[in-house]
Amino acid sequence: MSAQTQLRRKTVRDMAKAKGGQPLVCLTAYDAPRAALIDPHCDLILVGDSVGMVVHGLDSTVGVTMDMMIMHGQAVMRGSQSAFVVVDMPFGSYEASPQQAFENAARIMMETRCQAVKLESGVYAEETVRYLVDRSIPVLAHVGLRPQAINVDGGFKAKGRSDDERQRVIAEAKAAESAGAFGVVVEGVAEDLAAEITELLSIPTIGIGASASCDGQILVTEDMLGLFDWTPKFVRRYGNVKGEITAAVENYASDVRGRAFPGKAETYSLNSEKSLKIPRVDD
């Protein structure tokens, strides 16, 4: 494909234009084939640290490493053409200092060629977000329910139930905007809180379990495709991938055991009417 015919990849400016307009369509991807499938329909693809649970079978996102995020980020960039690609910064890669965050964020962007990074941002992260943005690294913030904080929270718990907690989530979102984040993922909060945050901020909010009040929506692709038996309350299933895979594998196993596969159509054979001519040295 020539440079003239390649699709233009979306930019931070395209994300900013979504504020108050047509909602951003966002999904996760961790490999090239999945990225290629969702790319034509998505504004933003997140290479989420949810890969630890969805792909690697971990019980939380805490065990995800930089090498894992970079490997999956590279695959998604190969498979996508037009979506804005954001890669999660894993637990332990940015909390120690702004300098640590920059080194790891720069590595992610250099090795994957993604367009931005995402980090879970309490008020403490304001300095870090500003440090990254000032050094040309676009940042998507993440407030509300923060999966990397599972060990402090004692599980995946919705946020904003008390007035103090509500004000804390609002403060986190405002701090991220003040520091220069181009957008904020708002996870696991009540509709009125999501609406208030969206109204307060001049940057787009992307909801996950935060109602249709946000400027965009994101889901873990495997959740909405029905790959797992259990999904969070905020997920709507748009497919039954688990059922399709199960049926296909059952049919394959039956055909193999019954010697119905491979059949004639899947088997190579020599055409006896044609002979292979092996060239001689003196030809």
Side-chain angles (χ1 to χ4, degrees):
M1 183 181 291
S2 68
Q4 288 76 17
T5 58
Q6 285 182 351
L7 294 174
R8 181 184 73 87
R9 198 177 280 278
K10 292 180 174 64
T11 69
V12 168
R13 290 185 178 181
D14 295 311
M15 302 301 106
K17 290 176 184 176
K19 183 65 184 178
Q22 186 176 58
L24 291 166
V25 177
C26 314
L27 284 170
T28 61
Y30 317 113
D31 56 44
R34 197 74 51 94
L37 286 172
I38 70 175
D39 181 70
H41 311 287
C42 287
D43 300 299
L44 183 152
I45 295 176
L46 173 66
V47 187
D49 59 359
S50 50
V51 68
M53 303 172 74
V54 175
V55 175
H56 295 277
L58 300 177
D59 60 2
S60 77
T61 63
V62 174
V64 174
T65 67
M66 280 284 293
D67 287 343
M68 289 165 66
M69 294 310 306
I70 288 170
M71 177 184 69
H72 290 288
Q74 290 170 336
V76 168
M77 285 299 294
R78 294 187 198 107
S80 63
Q81 296 185 67
S82 63
F84 186 84
V85 176
V86 181
V87 176
D88 256 336
M89 297 193 69
F91 177 73
S93 68
Y94 59 92
E95 294 91 340
S97 68
Q99 291 79 10
Q100 178 209 30
F102 174 76
E103 290 173 4
N104 285 321
R107 181 186 167 202
I108 287 172
M109 295 196 70
M110 290 171 66
E111 294 187 29
T112 68
R113 308 309 294 255
C114 68
Q115 282 69 61
V117 298
K118 180 173 79 65
L119 54 83
E120 295 185 11
S121 46
V123 174
Y124 73 89
E126 181 175 1
E127 181 185 358
T128 295
V129 173
R130 181 173 289 108
Y131 193 90
L132 295 180
V133 174
D134 285 348
R135 286 156 181 79
S136 304
I137 296 179
V139 175
L140 178 62
H142 183 148
V143 303
L145 191 163
R146 294 188 280 121
Q148 291 177 8
I150 183 175
N151 290 316
V152 172
D153 292 340
F156 298 105
K157 298 181 179 180
K159 296 296 181 180
R161 297 181 186 274
S162 67
D163 186 63
D164 285 347
E165 195 173 67
R166 183 187 183 95
Q167 294 307 314
R168 185 160 59 249
V169 174
I170 292 172
E172 290 171 354
K174 292 173 69 175
E177 177 185 36
S178 175
F182 69 85
V184 178
V185 171
V186 182
E187 180 170 0
V189 304
E191 181 175 10
D192 62 330
L193 178 53
E196 183 175 355
I197 292 172
T198 301
E199 181 67 25
L200 283 171
L201 301 187
S202 62
I203 57 177
T205 56
I206 299 173
I208 176 166
S211 84
S213 300
C214 297
D215 298 301
Q217 297 294 325
I218 187 165
L219 286 175
V220 172
T221 301
E222 287 75 7
D223 282 344
M224 73 92 162
L225 289 178
L227 189 62
F228 303 111
D229 291 330
W230 180 88
T231 55
K233 171 183 171 61
F234 54 75
V235 173
R236 180 182 297 177
R237 293 190 179 185
Y238 287 87
N240 182 25
V241 169
K242 181 178 180 180
E244 292 291 328
I245 292 174
T246 299
V249 173
E250 286 177 349
N251 289 335
Y252 167 71
S254 177
D255 283 353
V256 169
R257 290 180 179 125
R259 296 192 182 277
F261 176 83
K264 187 174 181 180
E266 298 91 16
T267 304
Y268 294 103
S269 61
L270 291 175
N271 188 335
S272 59
E273 296 181 0
K274 294 183 179 180
S275 61
L276 295 175
K277 182 180 180 182
I278 301 176
R280 292 170 52 182
V281 176
D282 56 353
D283 280 353

